């Protein structure tokens, strides 16, 4: 890649609004540290020798080809998928050394939003949001209702949505209810699996802005599995890329654009990616 293109990528990154910027973080700011991770289903190896750091207060976009293991990594960090070997540290603690009580305490610091929302169809919006509260907290019915309404407002939904069923909601509203449930316990880290999948461009852009706003106001760390180029450009502080069963690159957008790895060149240099670039940058893309 030419030096001119790398400089332009750096310039494009610098043009993003200042609140998105994340300064170089010290080692103490690593909230998730994955080292030499191997995950396999039978004889099929999904990832092997994978290393990744997630820094405090950042939105890390995580990309990779379909079926390469992006969501599997999320589930492995959460303890939903067993690893073959490697270490996962969260807030400086090796999760393998935690007892049941410590593990439950750690889970309270996580918020998870699955790709299709995963709302329970038999429950109302309010009841879906209250599920984590009922599992981890001992609250009166009145306080549960009050907290659910706070979370609804936090994600930009009207109060009258509380008593609706998931079948009455639009795709964008389902995403926001799922996000409200992910925020139910005031987590430190939020895991988002393809959060803008299925949304129209306006809805996706609004959701990206919501994530950025929540990160800034609540001090969240966000691990976002996505294939949405717009999200990578507008919302993410850094990007991690998965290929060849491991993380092949991690850094700001300029790092992705400067890489010579074939998959990254195809992903960030293809026609759809070029269309998303600023005009001056696109004209000089090779």
């Amino acid at each position: 890649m030419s030096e001119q293109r790398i400089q332009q990528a750096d310039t494009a990154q610098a043009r993003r609004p200042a609140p998105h910027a994340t300064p170089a973080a010290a080692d103490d700011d690593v909230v998730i540290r994955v080292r030499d991770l191997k995950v396999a289903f039978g004889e099929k190896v999904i990832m092997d020798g994978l290393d990744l750091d997630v820094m405090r207060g950042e939105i890390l976009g995580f990309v990779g080809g379909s079926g390469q293991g992006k969501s599997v990594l999320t589930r492995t960090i959460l303890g939903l998928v067993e690893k073959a070997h490697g270490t996962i540290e969260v807030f400086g603690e090796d999760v393998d050394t935690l007892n049941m009580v410590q593990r439950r305490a750690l889970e309270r610091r996580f918020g998870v939003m699955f790709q299709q929302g995963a709302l329970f169809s038999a429950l109302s919006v309010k009841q879906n949001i209250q599920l984590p509260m009922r599992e981890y907290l001992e609250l009166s019915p009145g306080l549960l209702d009050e907290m659910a309404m706070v979370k609804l407002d936090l994600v930009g939904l009207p109060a009258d949505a509380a008593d609706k069923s998931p079948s009455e909601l639009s795709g964008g509203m389902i995403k926001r209810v799922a996000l409200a449930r992910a925020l139910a316990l005031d987590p430190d880290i939020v895991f988002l699996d393809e959060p803008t999948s299925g949304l129209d461009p306006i809805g996706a852009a609004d959701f990206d802005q919501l994530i950025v706003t929540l990160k800034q106001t609540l001090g969240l760390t966000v691990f976002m599995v996505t294939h949405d180029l717009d999200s990578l450009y507008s919302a993410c502080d850094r990007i991690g890329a998965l290929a060849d069963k491991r993380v092949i690159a991690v850094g700001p957008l300029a790092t992705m654009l400067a890489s010579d790895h074939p998959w990254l060149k195809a992903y960030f240099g293809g026609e759809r990616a070029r269309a998303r670039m600023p005009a001056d940058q696109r004209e000089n893309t090779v």
Side-chain angles (χ1 to χ4, degrees):
M1 175 170 294
S2 68
E3 181 178 351
Q4 182 182 25
R5 183 179 172 191
I6 296 173
Q7 291 173 343
Q8 289 166 342
D10 287 329
T11 301
Q13 186 76 6
R15 288 174 180 164
R16 292 171 57 196
H20 294 190
T22 299
D27 210 41
D28 289 344
D29 288 327
V30 179
V31 294
I32 299 174
R33 175 180 280 110
V34 180
R35 290 293 181 271
D36 196 28
L37 182 67
K38 179 177 181 179
V39 178
F41 299 132
E43 295 184 356
K44 182 176 177 59
V45 177
I46 306 300
M47 54 195 73
D48 194 4
L50 183 145
D51 295 338
L52 181 67
D53 290 340
V54 181
M55 314 308 291
R56 188 183 310 277
E58 75 172 347
I59 299 178
L60 178 70
F62 197 66
V63 301
S66 297
Q68 295 300 304
K70 301 185 300 297
S71 297
V72 172
L73 176 59
T74 301
R75 286 163 169 77
T76 305
I77 294 172
L78 293 171
L80 302 177
V81 170
E82 186 176 354
K83 57 185 172 63
H85 67 67
T87 60
I88 298 173
E89 295 179 5
V90 183
F91 303 115
E93 298 287 341
D94 185 337
V95 296
D96 289 338
T97 68
L98 303 180
N99 60 36
M100 185 176 297
V101 173
Q102 292 168 327
R103 182 75 204 190
R104 291 279 289 179
L106 179 62
E107 290 171 354
R108 283 192 54 177
R109 302 178 72 178
F110 292 161
V112 185
M113 176 184 162
F114 296 104
Q115 182 172 350
Q116 303 302 328
L119 301 183
F120 290 91
S121 59
L123 301 180
S124 68
V125 164
K126 178 174 64 178
Q127 290 168 335
N128 267 283
I129 296 171
Q130 291 171 342
L131 276 174
M133 303 176 194
R134 293 182 185 277
E135 181 177 358
Y136 288 93
L137 308 175
E138 295 182 3
L139 301 174
S140 67
L143 189 52
L144 281 170
D145 287 348
E146 183 178 336
M147 290 183 67
M149 300 307 291
V150 169
K151 303 306 178 184
L152 268 181
D153 182 65
L154 197 62
V155 299
L157 288 175
D160 61 10
D163 295 318
K164 293 183 177 180
S165 67
S167 63
E168 298 177 273
L169 305 179
S170 67
M173 292 179 72
I174 288 174
K175 299 278 190 181
R176 288 177 184 251
V177 173
L179 180 59
R181 185 175 63 187
L183 298 173
L185 298 176
D186 299 322
D188 296 302
I189 305 174
V190 176
F191 297 86
L192 307 177
D193 192 357
E194 301 284 5
T196 59
S197 174
L199 298 182
D200 63 72
I202 295 175
D206 288 345
F207 199 90
D208 284 339
Q209 184 55 54
L210 173 62
I211 295 301
V212 172
T213 300
L214 291 174
K215 184 206 83 163
Q216 295 167 356
T217 57
L218 302 180
L220 296 173
T221 299
V222 181
F223 182 85
M224 179 166 65
V225 172
T226 185
H227 67 275
D228 191 330
L229 286 160
D230 285 342
S231 297
L232 297 173
Y233 270 81
S234 63
C236 296
D237 299 298
R238 292 194 307 149
I239 301 166
L242 176 65
D244 307 325
K245 300 182 175 62
R246 63 188 63 199
V247 174
I248 56 171
V250 62
L253 180 63
T255 300
M256 304 298 114
L257 294 175
S259 174
D260 288 327
H261 189 281
W263 189 85
L264 286 175
K265 290 181 71 174
Y267 190 87
F268 288 97
E271 287 302 316
R272 295 184 69 181
R274 284 166 52 83
R276 178 58 180 81
M277 293 178 184
D280 59 342
Q281 188 178 342
R282 183 167 62 246
E283 290 170 0
N284 291 279
T285 301
V286 293

